Amino acid sequence: MYKLIDGKEISAAVKERVKNEVAILNSKGISVGLAVIIVGEDPASKIYVANKKKACEQLGIRSMEYALDADTTEEELLELINTLNEEKSVNGILCQLPLPKHLDEKIIINAISPEKDVDAFHPHNVGRIMIGDYDFVPCTPAGIMEMLKYEGIEVEGKTCVVIGRSNIVGKPMGMLLLHKNGTVTICHSRTKNLLEICREADILVAAVGKAEFVTADMVKEGAVVIDVGMNRIDGRLCGDVDFENVKEKASAITPVPGGVGPMTIAMLMQNTLTAAKRQNGVCDE
Ligand code: GUN
């Protein structure tokens, strides 16, 4: 019998914690603010941004949305980011990706002050994750670590396999599992013996972007299976894992929807709170 790892329940617990901490800061005269920049009309991005804004409202975090035209120039966008970097009431800055093709994501991400980079995409923060001395972690891997902790799933000594090597999920995921003393393998499109490697995994994280890519024969009996995917088959939302068949072998598994997805926004709220605390010299006890 498998345990369903409920992202709605766990994200609600994280948000409750953040909400309480925001209220304590407010009582000390410290507000928490997040600026969200969106360029163009990408429908998925618009939904993500609306959800981020809604979460801010629920938690007492001020959200400022900057919806810019698709033909915004790099110079204009950099000017806005510089203004937000200087603005004391803005603790976190997030520029929704992907950006329109004429804008260089690397240049834009590098322009965000590392202290306000709540996505943890800036090379400064990426480097800090590498050495295990970080304030911000990209929201999806952070959310997965929170799920493992909540479920009491020990990482130390476990064989951890991450499928996918993106800068946003796969690579930082591998580092976080390594920091918890997991033995980590990151697989990708050129990996030769994917099936054999996945079959060894005690903890298997699928961040491939291909519907139902992970099949039951790739999963060890009793493995913990984390599905980062968000795909559609004939309009139906599904993950990177063939849930119906894999669940019978797993000891614990995340569903799609209702798994990793809700955690991402909760961890963004957590990072925004952390930014506000750091900028106001509030230490964690
Ligand atoms: N686009 C898809 N996911 C993300 C994310 O986590 N942050 C930003 N800024 N853009 C995204």
Side-chain angles (χ1 to χ4, degrees):
M1 189 58 195
Y2 64 93
K3 165 89 177 80
L4 192 71
I5 305 177
D6 185 346
K8 285 188 204 154
E9 177 189 320
I10 305 169
S11 65
V14 172
K15 287 202 265 186
E16 189 59 29
R17 202 170 67 204
V18 172
K19 187 179 174 179
N20 291 337
E21 280 207 59
V22 169
I24 293 169
L25 287 185
N26 287 348
S27 72
K28 293 177 181 166
I30 299 167
S31 68
V32 183
L34 173 67
V36 180
I37 305 168
I38 177 167
V39 187
E41 302 293 329
D42 181 65
S45 291
K46 280 183 159 183
I47 294 170
Y48 289 137
V49 166
N51 288 339
K52 288 170 185 177
K53 209 169 143 184
K54 199 168 112 193
C56 283
E57 281 162 15
Q58 288 168 346
L59 274 49
I61 295 174
R62 268 181 318 103
S63 72
M64 291 138 274
E65 186 183 333
Y66 297 86
L68 308 182
D69 291 338
D71 61 1
T72 299
T73 64
E74 184 175 288
E75 202 180 5
E76 287 166 334
L77 184 51
L78 290 175
E79 200 177 306
L80 171 62
I81 291 171
N82 283 337
T83 305
L84 296 171
N85 282 341
E86 298 298 322
E87 175 55 54
K88 288 265 180 297
S89 67
V90 172
N91 305 111
I93 303 169
L94 178 154
C95 186
Q96 189 65 28
L97 304 179
L99 288 168
K101 291 278 172 288
H102 68 281
L103 295 169
D104 185 336
E105 284 182 359
K106 208 152 81 178
I107 290 173
I108 302 305
I109 287 168
N110 285 2
I112 296 173
S113 162
E115 288 75 31
K116 297 189 177 185
D117 169 39
V118 286
D119 267 325
F121 292 168
H122 191 288
H124 175 92
N125 289 320
V126 175
R128 290 189 63 186
I129 292 163
M130 190 83 176
I131 58 172
D133 168 31
Y134 45 83
D135 291 321
F136 306 127
V137 185
C139 301
T140 300
I144 293 168
M145 294 310 287
E146 190 70 29
M147 289 175 128
L148 296 177
K149 188 172 153 195
Y150 187 92
E151 296 295 347
I153 296 165
E154 185 63 57
V155 175
E156 180 155 326
K158 296 280 173 64
T159 298
C160 306
V161 175
V162 180
I163 319 175
R165 57 174 157 178
S166 70
N167 290 333
I168 297 180
V169 182
K171 286 183 203 163
M173 186 75 248
M175 290 314 301
L176 297 188
L177 291 165
L178 186 60
H179 292 322
K180 289 287 177 197
N181 299 319
T183 303
V184 179
T185 304
I186 301 180
C187 300
H188 47 81
S189 54
R190 310 287 168 88
T191 298
K192 290 226 166 76
N193 44 348
L194 184 69
L195 182 74
E196 286 75 20
I197 295 170
C198 290
R199 272 186 189 157
E200 293 292 317
D202 300 310
I203 299 173
L204 180 62
V205 180
V208 200
K210 287 187 183 160
E212 300 181 348
F213 179 85
V214 174
T215 47
D217 57 331
M218 296 166 76
V219 176
K220 183 166 89 172
E221 200 72 47
V224 173
V225 181
I226 308 290
D227 190 348
V228 182
M230 194 72 87
N231 315 290
R232 283 192 189 274
I233 298 179
D234 300 330
R236 174 177 64 89
L237 195 60
C238 66
D240 289 348
V241 174
D242 175 10
F243 182 85
E244 283 310 314
N245 293 307
V246 169
K247 73 181 196 306
E248 303 304 336
K249 289 181 96 175
S251 61
I253 185 168
T254 63
V256 176
V260 173
M263 294 304 297
T264 301
I265 290 187
M267 302 320 287
L268 173 67
M269 300 296 109
Q270 169 85 65
N271 280 347
T272 305
L273 170 68
T274 300
K277 284 162 79 174
R278 294 282 176 278
Q279 287 158 33
N280 287 282
V282 178
C283 301
D284 289 313
E285 48 295 318

